[in-house]
Amino acid sequence: MKLAEGSIVDVPGVKVGQVSDEKALTGCTVIVLEKGAACGVDVRGSAPGTRETDLLNPINSVQEVNAVVLTGGSAYGLDAASGVMRYLEEQGQGYNVGVGVVPIVPAAVIFDLSIGSSKIRPDQQMGYEAARSASKQQVQQGNVGAGTGATVGKLAGMKRAMKGGLGSASRRLPNGLVVGAIVAVNAVGEVRSPLTGEILAGARDDAGNIRDSMSWMIDASTPPAPSGTNTTIAVVASNANLNKVQANKIAQMAHNGLAKTIHPVHTMSDGDTVFAVATGGVDASVNLVGALCVEVLAEAVVNAILSAKGAGGVPAYQDLQVKR
């Protein structure tokens, strides 16, 4: 299979910075919004780890965010957002409160403590460095940033899991509309190609072959994955002229991109969360932007799996292709 083209930085006003600890197998990814952006969020998983998502509710006053953080480290990793705030404050970016600025930085985490080191998690310094390094360079994918310690296919336990990762993709229309996505894929379920239905990464049997998630669940011969030890987190972005209410609807629609690729998704063991940001500049309908976000998010999920490399004793899609 080929990687889908583009990345979220193709969207005007969006930059990305990443820091990875390849030894501890964790890291964080920061999406910096150069001039701020309307933002919405939709949480579908039952075990989320998030920060500043309440203020994205349309009834609340803040209308724009300055950055979004995707990070490893479980709830500990939320500390990385404070480092991003510190960097943005130094740049004078944030909500003006009269005596200074307060950067608005929502965040979401994945659980990656069961691979690498459980004692080393993204912290304020890692978040600061990721924000400082944010650029318009094409996003590195695979074992990087929030995807460094990501794994998938854990319905039969970690010993049968495969490597997840970070992926990104984008689409550009003739009228100038650009839609992009970035995602850290750390699902309890398997990842399939939405084009062919092929299982790209999932739980492996004793022979090392991938066995579909439904059969594992029906068989129930292995204990279920502990709640909260998974989660896929993502940001979808566009340069459409959207408000906060519309951004929330886009985030809701974008979850279909996860549903097209991850089976099962939104489980009791996942904390699946999708943010949607809109930097403005092009008139476009919510229906169009939402539908495009579904497609690019699905492509980004697949890119994450195709780009991942085996780590911490957990094999990746690339490893299975070599064996074949």
Side-chain angles (χ1 to χ4, degrees):
M1 292 186 65
K2 294 182 179 180
L3 292 175
E5 296 181 352
S7 70
I8 196 170
V9 296
D10 296 330
V11 178
V14 176
K15 298 191 297 184
V16 170
Q18 304 193 87
V19 174
S20 312
D21 187 325
E22 296 181 357
K23 184 177 181 180
L25 292 178
T26 193
C28 70
T29 300
V30 178
I31 298 86
V32 174
L33 304 159
E34 296 176 289
K35 297 181 179 179
C39 183
V41 67
D42 191 75
V43 181
R44 297 284 177 95
S46 293
T50 59
R51 167 175 166 155
E52 295 279 47
T53 51
D54 281 352
L55 62 78
L56 302 180
N57 188 312
I59 69 172
N60 294 330
S61 61
V62 171
Q63 296 301 308
E64 293 186 339
V65 305
N66 302 104
V68 180
V69 176
L70 306 179
T71 181
S74 189
Y76 295 107
L78 290 172
D79 196 33
S82 295
V84 178
M85 288 186 68
R86 178 160 59 89
Y87 174 79
L88 292 174
E89 181 186 23
E90 293 174 358
Q91 310 307 307
Q93 299 179 35
Y95 184 75
N96 191 334
V97 292
V99 294
V101 296
V102 177
I104 307 300
V105 184
V109 303
I110 68 168
F111 183 96
D112 56 6
L113 304 183
S114 54
I115 187 172
S117 172
S118 63
K119 299 300 183 181
I120 298 176
R121 287 89 59 158
D123 56 13
Q124 289 192 28
Q125 189 58 36
M126 185 177 281
Y128 183 94
E129 294 299 331
R132 187 171 68 173
S133 69
S135 73
K136 295 292 289 184
Q137 293 183 354
Q138 287 296 301
V139 175
Q140 186 180 353
Q141 302 181 84
N143 299 19
V144 64
T148 305
T151 50
V152 301
K154 289 163 280 187
L155 282 167
M158 271 297 295
K159 67 178 182 179
R160 298 183 184 276
M162 288 182 64
K163 192 69 181 66
L166 185 117
S168 192
S170 69
R171 297 274 187 94
R172 183 185 301 271
L173 298 191
N175 69 346
L177 177 68
V178 185
V179 174
I182 190 167
V183 59
V185 185
N186 188 60
V188 68
E190 67 204 18
V191 176
R192 300 179 185 176
S193 164
L195 300 178
T196 66
E198 175 191 0
I199 301 176
L200 305 177
R204 297 166 294 120
D205 61 20
D206 291 338
N209 299 313
I210 300 175
R211 181 180 168 193
D212 71 277
S213 294
M214 188 63 72
S215 67
W216 282 113
M217 289 189 290
I218 291 173
D219 182 43
S221 61
T222 56
S227 178
T229 58
N230 305 283
T231 297
T232 297
I233 52 179
V235 177
V236 294
S238 75
N239 61 337
N241 293 320
L242 302 175
N243 59 33
K244 187 178 175 183
V245 175
Q246 294 167 322
N248 272 276
K249 183 60 183 178
I250 297 295
Q252 183 187 77
M253 294 176 69
H255 270 281
N256 289 329
L258 303 184
K260 290 179 67 172
T261 52
I262 299 171
H263 305 266
V265 71
H266 307 145
T267 72
M268 294 299 294
S269 299
D270 292 289
D272 304 323
T273 301
V274 176
F275 297 93
V277 298
T279 58
V282 176
D283 288 331
S285 71
V286 170
N287 286 342
L288 174 61
V289 176
L292 287 171
C293 283
V294 171
E295 297 303 313
V296 295
L297 183 50
E299 290 174 350
V301 170
V302 172
N303 277 1
I305 299 304
L306 298 185
S307 302
K309 296 180 180 179
V314 179
Y317 169 84
Q318 296 179 15
D319 300 318
L320 268 62
Q321 297 311 297
V322 171
K323 290 182 179 180
R324 291 174 183 171

